[in-house]
């Protein structure tokens, strides 16, 4: 048999009941479990079988036995294989430790609940071929074993990822000693609960000789950043260093900028730590960070300082392409040296947001810059026209500053912003409106997103030129939200030249009629909270492929158009808070028309007026394909969702504590509580057509069902217990009904019936609602004269009378039973449990009931 024929394909393992019962560990679900047999690029040399770290048989036997118990045997390959699956928390300690004897396993990826990491995995010959260990996002607690730092432990391991776990303890100093983890290239320990400082041994000579990626993070990590890292040959191969969301103190180490430090470092990210001080000038030395391409220093509490002028020297950061400085307290202007042509020669992305920079915004920046973000600062003055000369700039964000003046018309000149695809200038105080010059056929040829929100001083009108042929020819999204733009919407804005997909002009001062839109790609239109008026007739003739339209909060009047086939791709329509009249056209209900493809609809009072018409509602309820339609904005009387309140009451119950008096009183209170909640109705917002068709009768029908069910249980209980007593004592014994009053279990049964009725009510609500709807659809349910009060009971007065009578009867019966119980206690728990028992209450049986109802 060849090596290739011995390899097995990926398989999904389904454990049978028998295997599940005998295995030490099994999977609750195998849908996301993948076991792969792969041949690694580098085959590990053959190793002499050794004792298993968990049990004691030869390594080969241990491997096959462990794979068999875990259901992983199909993944096995003598040339190496991969395990990528979920491990349940019930795995035994012995088998979990025995995983180390999987001698040809190369990649282990486990999710779900995991036991603690075993010290035994650090023994000789544990995981001799393992190259990658991925446990990120798993429910993994415990500590990092010190034994993993022993000589020859995990000899082939290259990747160790424990991010997003609950690991605690401290970082083992043994991991940094000479000879430990010689092949480890990536160590990821971000967002863990490990506490303490970074061991000094982690930065000594010969520690982690192959490490190229180190990620640390957790709120309990503290101390200072090791100044000796990167120098004298320590961590010489480190390429990626990321430290985030931790409690490290002190300052940025000056030593990290030494000529011999971090010669291979490409990415350095320090975010959300307590590091303070200033940005070190030494980091800009001629030989510092020679290969650094990305530097991120954000959310660091710098109390004072400025952008170092030395960082922009000609010889500084020769390879730096991305620089992000989110430092909240710089509070200084941008240094002049940063504006010189030779500064940051390779820089393509510069993020200076949230730095509290002051002064005017420079017009000169590194010539290769593609992304510039200066949002959330304190820049003043006018927007510089010279920014348009940045030929490589693709994204420009200027929001949340103190700019004044007008938007530069020069930005729309030929040759300006030749590569710009994204422009955002929200929350600034510019005035003068939108420049008409920006609508030139040669302006913003590459722009795809134009974003201006909350610029409350902008003013002006929508320029006709912006919709002229060739203008904004590639724009896909234009957001001009909450800016006081006035006038009318030019009719030219609806013509099909542009590639516009989303247009948001909401919360503005636009007025006039709503025009039709013929844009070939327009899918989203937001004109809410404007001053638009007139009817919807012209807009309804739009041929644009509109999918979401919001026109709420305007002065639109008239009736809804009855145009079959209009707006055939619409899925969301919001017309609330307008002045619409009439009802919804019946044609909207027909197959293939508007309501057949709309999933969210809000037409305000128009819907309620339509529902109140018996003929219209009957037609609606005949359309079963519309039952899940979201129809927000409507009010109806529905059974309130009291499930959470019920569970709170249930958890506070004292049932079974041995105090019979309190127990009985709670049973009576619980029965009344349940029935009151069953008949209570409230004005809840409808969410579906099914609720409209069911109206408020679900609670009434549900009440009747529960009353009948409860009464039947009590009757059957009384008859059964009475017959049992009669059978035991014969006809000569006192009257049958007298014995019923002596049965203690009748009290328990009454309590448990009441205890379970409330829980059952909530499970049966959806079922009863569906029955009512179907009965309406097929005309088998009697209708009420007043549709607003339902179709079964004309008013809630009848329900209240029934409930009051039932509660009085129940209270009387329970008092009689209690008096009888006090006189003569003869428990018959077996008889009562046969009738009701624990079927309706108790945690274990309630979970079974839940499963049964859900499966039905």
């Amino acid at each position: 048999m060849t090596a290739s024929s011995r390899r097995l394909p990926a398989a999904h393992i389904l454990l049978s009941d028998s295997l599940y019962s005998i295995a030490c560990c099994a999977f609750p679900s195998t849908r996301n479990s993948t076991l792969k047999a792969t041949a690694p690029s580098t085959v590990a040399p053959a190793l002499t079988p050794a004792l298993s770290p968990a049990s004691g048989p030869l390594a080969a036997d241990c491997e096959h036995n462990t794979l068999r118990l875990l259901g992983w045997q199909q993944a096995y390959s003598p040339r190496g294989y991969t395990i990528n699956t979920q491990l349940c928390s019930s795995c035994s300690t012995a088998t979990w430790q025995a995983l180390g004897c999987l001698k040809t396993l190369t990649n282990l990826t486990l999710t779900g609940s995991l036991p603690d990491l075993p010290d035994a995995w650090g023994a000789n010959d544990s995981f001799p071929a393992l190259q990658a260990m991925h446990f990120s996002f798993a429910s993994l607690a415990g500590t990092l074993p010190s034994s993993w730092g022993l000589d020859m432990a995990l000899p082939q391991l290259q990747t160790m990822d424990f991010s997003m776990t609950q690991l605690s303890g401290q970082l083992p100093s043994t991991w940094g000693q000479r000879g430990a983890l010689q092949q480890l290239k990536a160590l990821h320990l971000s967002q863990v609960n490990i506490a303490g400082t970074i061991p000094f041994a982690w930065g000594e000579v010969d520690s982690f000789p192959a490490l190229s990626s180190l990620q640390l993070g957790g709120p309990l990590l503290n101390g200072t950043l090791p100044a000796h890292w990167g120098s004298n040959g320590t961590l010489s191969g480190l390429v990626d260093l990321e430290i985030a969301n931790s409690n490290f103190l002190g300052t940025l180490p000056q030593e990290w900028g030494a000529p011999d430090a971090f010669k291979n470092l490409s990415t350095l990210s320090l975010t959300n730590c307590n590091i303070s001080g200033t940005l070190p000038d030494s980091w800009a030395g001629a030989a510092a960070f020679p290969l650094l391409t990305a530097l991120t220093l954000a959310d660091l509490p710098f109390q004072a300082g400025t952008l170092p002028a030395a960082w922009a020297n000609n010889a500084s950061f020769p390879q730096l392409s991305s620089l992000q400085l989110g430092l909240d307290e710089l509070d200084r202007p941008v240094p002049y040296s940063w504006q010189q042509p030779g500064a940051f020669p390779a820089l393509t992305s510069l993020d200076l947001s949230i730095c509290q920079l002051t002064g005017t915004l420079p017009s000169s920046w590194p010539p290769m810059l593609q992304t510039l973000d200066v949002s959330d600062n304190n820049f003043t003055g006018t927007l510089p026209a010279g920014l348009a000369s940045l030929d490589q700039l693709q994204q420009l964000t200027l929001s949340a500053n103190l700019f004044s003046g007008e938007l530069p018309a020069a930005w729309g000149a030929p040759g300006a912003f030749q590569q710009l695809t994204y422009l955002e200038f929200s929350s600034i105080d510019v005035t003068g409106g939108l420049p008409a010059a920006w609508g030139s056929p040669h302006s913003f040829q590459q722009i795809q997103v134009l974003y201006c929100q909350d610029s409350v001083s902008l003013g002006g009108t929508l320029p006709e030129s912006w919709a002229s042929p060739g203008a904004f020819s590639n724009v896909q999204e234009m957001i001009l939200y909450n800016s006081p733009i006035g006038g009318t919407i030019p009719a030219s804005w609806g013509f099909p030249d542009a590639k516009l997909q989303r247009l948001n002009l909401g919360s503005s001062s636009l007025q006039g009629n709503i025009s039709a839109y013929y844009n070939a790609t327009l899918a989203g239109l937001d004109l809410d909270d404007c001053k638009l008026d007139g009817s919807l007739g012209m807009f309804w003739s739009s041929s644009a492929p509109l999918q979401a339209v919001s026109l709420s909060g305007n002065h639109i009047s008239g009736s809804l158009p009855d145009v079959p086939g209009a707006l055939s791709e619409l899925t969301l329509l919001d017309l609330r808070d307008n002045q619409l009249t009439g009802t919804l056209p019946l044609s909207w209900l027909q197959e293939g028309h508007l309501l057949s493809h709309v999933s969210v609809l809000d037409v305000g009072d128009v819907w309620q007026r339509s529902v109140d018409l018996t003929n219209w509602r009957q037609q609606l309820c005949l359309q079963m394909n519309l039952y899940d339609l979201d129809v927000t904005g409507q009010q109806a009387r529905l059974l309130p969702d009291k499930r959470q309140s019920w569970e709170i009451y249930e958890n506070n119950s004292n049932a079974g504590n041995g105090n019979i008096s309190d127990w009985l009183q709670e049973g009576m209170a619980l029965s009344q509580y349940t029935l009151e909640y069953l008949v209570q109705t409230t004005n809840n917002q409808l969410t579906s057509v099914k609720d409209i068709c069911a109206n408020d009768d679900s609670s009434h029908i549900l009440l009747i069902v529960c009353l009948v069910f409860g009464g039947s249980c009590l009757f059957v209980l009384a008859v059964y217990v009475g017959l049992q007593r009669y059978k035991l004592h014969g006809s000569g014994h006192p009257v049958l009904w007298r014995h019923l009053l002596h049965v203690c279990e009748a009290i328990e049964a009454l309590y448990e019936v009441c205890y379970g009725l409330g829980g059952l009510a909530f499970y049966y609500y959806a079922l009863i609602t569906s029955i009512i709807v179907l009965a309406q659809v097929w005309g088998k349910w009697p209708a009420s004269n007043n549709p607003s009060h339902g179709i079964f009971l004309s008013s809630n007065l009848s329900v209240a009378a029934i409930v009051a009578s039932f509660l009085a009867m129940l209270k009387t019966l329970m008092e009689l039973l209690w008096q009888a119980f006090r006189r003569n206690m003869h428990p018959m728990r077996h008889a009562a449990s046969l009738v009701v028992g624990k079927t309706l209450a108790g945690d274990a049986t309630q979970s079974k009931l839940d499963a049964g109802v859900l499966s039905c």
Side-chain angles (χ1 to χ4, degrees):
M1 181 182 296
T2 62
S4 60
S5 65
R6 289 195 300 268
R7 288 183 295 174
L8 299 176
H12 292 274
I13 307 301
L14 178 62
L15 296 179
S16 64
D17 293 339
S18 59
L19 180 58
Y20 186 94
S21 63
I22 65 173
C24 71
C25 178
F27 302 97
S29 173
T30 59
R31 294 182 179 178
N32 296 325
S33 302
T34 303
L35 307 180
K36 299 180 179 179
T38 59
S41 56
T42 302
V43 180
L47 298 175
T48 303
L51 292 179
S52 167
S55 52
L58 292 179
D61 294 335
C62 176
E63 181 165 24
H64 290 296
N65 289 336
T66 302
L67 292 174
R68 178 181 57 80
L69 286 175
L70 296 176
W72 296 349
Q73 62 268 33
Q74 296 187 34
Y76 175 77
S77 171
R79 298 185 59 195
Y81 56 95
T82 292
I83 299 295
N84 185 349
T85 187
Q86 188 178 44
L87 188 73
C88 69
S89 58
S90 61
C91 182
S92 70
T93 303
T95 303
W96 176 244
Q97 292 177 346
L99 289 182
C101 71
L102 302 181
K103 65 176 182 179
T104 58
L105 180 66
T106 59
N107 191 313
L108 180 61
T109 301
L110 295 177
T111 59
S113 180
L114 303 179
D116 295 349
L117 297 174
D119 285 323
W121 289 5
N124 289 340
D125 294 324
S126 289
F127 290 124
L130 189 65
Q131 298 177 11
M133 187 183 298
H134 296 279
F135 293 169
S136 59
F137 297 97
S139 180
L140 173 65
T143 61
L144 296 174
S146 298
S147 62
W148 291 16
L150 300 177
D151 289 344
M152 298 305 296
L154 304 170
Q156 301 296 326
L157 191 63
Q158 300 179 16
T159 300
M160 191 185 301
D161 188 356
F162 295 138
S163 300
M164 304 291 292
T165 61
Q166 289 78 48
L167 284 173
S168 57
Q170 296 183 338
L171 298 174
S173 60
T174 57
W175 286 23
Q177 67 187 7
R178 180 175 297 181
L181 301 171
Q182 291 290 293
Q183 302 298 321
L184 190 65
K185 296 181 179 179
L187 176 59
H188 295 170
L189 294 170
S190 59
Q191 298 192 41
V192 294
N193 293 324
I194 295 175
T197 62
I198 300 176
F200 185 85
W202 280 35
E204 291 185 317
V205 178
D206 294 331
S207 63
F208 302 112
L211 192 65
S212 62
S213 177
L214 176 60
Q215 297 179 7
L216 298 175
L220 302 181
L221 285 172
N222 52 48
T224 60
L225 297 178
H228 63 292
W229 275 14
S231 59
N232 299 321
T234 60
L235 300 178
S236 58
L238 202 61
V239 175
D240 173 32
L241 175 58
E242 299 181 27
I243 300 176
N245 305 313
S246 57
N247 198 30
F248 288 111
L249 303 172
T251 61
L252 297 175
Q254 294 276 352
E255 293 82 355
W256 286 14
D260 62 339
F262 294 121
K263 292 184 177 180
N264 294 297
L265 193 65
S266 175
T267 300
L268 175 58
S269 177
L270 304 173
T271 60
N272 195 21
C273 300
N274 286 325
I275 299 171
S276 57
T278 60
L279 298 174
D281 286 338
S282 64
W283 287 21
F289 301 110
L291 299 180
L292 190 66
T293 60
L295 175 60
T296 301
L297 302 173
D299 296 322
L300 305 180
F302 279 27
Q303 298 178 354
T306 183
L307 297 176
W311 281 27
N313 292 334
N314 292 338
S316 302
F317 301 108
Q319 303 295 327
L320 190 66
S321 62
S322 176
L323 176 59
Q324 179 182 355
L325 300 176
L327 308 174
D328 194 35
E329 298 294 337
L330 290 184
D331 194 25
R332 296 289 191 277
V334 177
Y336 178 75
S337 61
W338 285 48
Q339 307 173 38
Q340 299 306 303
F344 303 107
L347 196 64
T348 59
S349 177
L350 177 59
D351 186 349
L352 298 177
S353 60
I354 323 178
C355 285
Q356 302 301 316
L357 295 170
T358 60
T360 59
L361 182 66
S363 58
S364 298
W365 295 92
M368 302 299 294
L369 207 59
Q370 299 177 7
T371 301
L372 176 61
D373 187 347
V374 293
S375 59
D376 293 283
N377 282 290
N378 294 320
F379 287 118
T380 57
T382 60
L383 291 170
L387 284 177
S389 62
L390 296 174
D391 295 339
Q392 304 298 318
L393 195 63
Q394 299 177 12
Q395 298 184 28
L396 176 60
T397 305
L398 305 166
S399 301
N401 277 284
L402 304 177
F403 296 121
S404 58
E406 299 182 355
L407 295 172
W411 287 8
F417 289 126
Q418 296 181 13
Q419 303 295 328
L420 194 67
T421 60
Y422 180 93
L423 175 60
E424 179 180 344
F425 50 96
S426 300
S427 301
I428 58 177
D429 291 331
V430 293
T431 58
L434 302 172
W438 288 16
S440 166
H442 303 289
S443 302
F444 296 105
Q445 288 297 293
Q446 304 298 325
I447 194 75
Q448 298 178 11
V449 178
L450 182 65
Y451 199 98
C452 175
Q453 179 175 319
D454 301 326
S455 292
V456 295
S457 302
L458 184 59
T461 60
L462 295 177
E464 287 269 4
S465 61
W466 282 33
S468 61
F472 293 103
S473 57
N474 287 298
V475 69
Q476 300 177 13
E477 188 171 352
M478 186 176 293
I479 309 297
L480 301 174
Y481 181 77
N482 196 26
S483 299
I485 301 173
T488 60
I489 303 175
S492 58
W493 279 53
F495 281 88
D497 289 340
K499 298 178 181 179
L500 191 64
Q501 297 179 12
R502 182 188 176 198
L503 177 61
N504 188 341
L505 302 174
S507 297
S508 64
S509 300
L510 293 170
Q511 54 189 333
N513 293 330
I514 304 177
S515 303
Y517 287 82
Y518 305 103
N519 312 65
T521 57
L522 186 62
L525 179 63
D526 192 339
L527 295 171
D528 63 307
D529 297 319
C530 298
K531 299 179 180 179
L532 301 171
D533 53 23
S535 66
L536 293 170
M538 185 178 297
F539 173 75
W540 228 252
S541 64
S542 300
S543 62
L546 291 167
Q547 299 178 17
V549 173
S550 178
L551 301 174
S552 62
N554 285 283
H555 306 295
I556 302 171
S557 58
S559 59
L560 294 173
D562 187 359
V563 182
L567 305 177
S568 59
E569 298 185 34
L570 199 64
T571 59
L572 183 149
L573 178 61
D574 187 357
L575 294 172
R576 69 184 188 278
D577 298 330
N578 279 288
Q579 301 171 8
L580 297 170
T581 58
T583 61
L584 268 73
L586 283 174
S587 63
W588 284 27
L589 300 176
Q590 297 175 6
E591 184 68 27
H593 291 181
L594 192 65
L595 290 186
S596 296
H597 47 79
V598 168
S599 58
V600 179
L601 174 68
D602 194 334
V603 291
D605 295 337
V606 175
W607 185 275
Q608 191 62 53
R609 288 196 296 268
S610 303
V611 170
D612 288 341
L613 296 178
T614 303
N615 180 51
W616 195 94
R617 186 171 60 173
Q618 289 177 351
Q619 293 297 320
L620 173 67
C621 294
L622 287 172
Q623 309 298 323
M624 299 185 65
N625 60 312
L626 304 181
Y627 281 176
D628 294 328
L629 177 66
D630 184 357
V631 284
T632 58
Q634 314 310 318
Q635 300 290 326
R637 302 178 71 81
L638 297 173
L639 177 69
D641 183 8
K642 300 297 182 181
R643 181 66 181 175
Q644 183 176 4
S645 300
W646 168 267
E647 291 175 349
I648 293 174
Y649 190 95
E650 177 181 323
N651 293 334
N652 292 332
S653 174
N654 293 321
N657 63 3
N659 189 330
I660 302 297
S661 177
D662 294 341
W663 181 44
L664 180 61
Q665 290 177 8
E666 279 200 11
M668 295 174 61
L670 185 58
S671 63
Q672 182 174 354
Y673 176 89
T674 302
L675 292 172
E676 286 179 352
Y677 268 23
L678 286 176
V679 297
Q680 277 184 357
T681 56
T682 186
N683 286 335
N684 284 350
Q685 203 168 29
L686 290 180
T687 58
S688 68
V689 170
K690 179 187 290 187
D691 293 325
I692 289 180
C693 294
N695 208 339
D696 63 335
D697 297 299
S698 298
S699 57
H700 303 158
I701 303 302
L702 189 57
L703 172 65
I704 301 302
V705 171
C706 289
L707 292 180
V708 173
F709 177 75
S712 301
C713 288
L714 294 177
F715 178 76
V716 172
L717 172 68
V719 172
Y720 180 84
V721 175
L723 290 175
Q724 289 291 327
R725 296 279 295 182
Y726 186 78
K727 180 178 178 181
L728 290 173
H729 300 285
S731 58
H733 211 268
V735 182
L736 169 66
W737 300 108
R738 181 178 177 182
H739 287 291
L740 293 177
L741 301 180
H742 292 267
V743 181
C744 173
E745 274 62 35
I747 299 177
E748 180 180 0
L750 281 173
Y751 171 79
E752 293 191 354
V753 168
C754 298
Y755 187 83
L757 284 179
L760 285 174
F762 299 102
Y763 292 117
Y764 282 113
Y765 173 68
L767 176 62
I768 298 299
T769 302
S770 301
I771 293 174
I772 295 172
V773 173
L774 293 175
Q776 276 189 310
V777 169
W778 296 107
K780 301 297 184 181
W781 208 268
S784 170
N785 293 329
N786 189 345
S788 65
H789 290 293
I791 55 177
F792 182 73
L793 298 175
S794 59
S795 69
N796 290 329
L797 186 60
S798 302
V799 180
I802 294 175
V803 173
S805 301
F806 181 82
L807 287 176
M809 177 191 69
L810 184 62
K811 181 179 180 182
T812 302
L813 179 59
M814 296 184 74
E815 287 176 347
L816 289 173
L817 291 173
W818 172 241
Q819 295 297 328
F821 171 76
R822 292 181 61 186
R823 290 194 300 270
N824 186 8
M825 291 186 293
H826 293 290
M828 294 182 61
R829 303 189 64 86
H830 178 64
S833 64
L834 289 176
V835 181
V836 178
K838 298 296 183 179
T839 305
L840 298 179
D843 294 338
T845 54
Q846 188 65 45
S847 63
K848 295 179 180 179
L849 177 63
D850 294 346
V853 172
L854 292 176
S855 64
C856 292

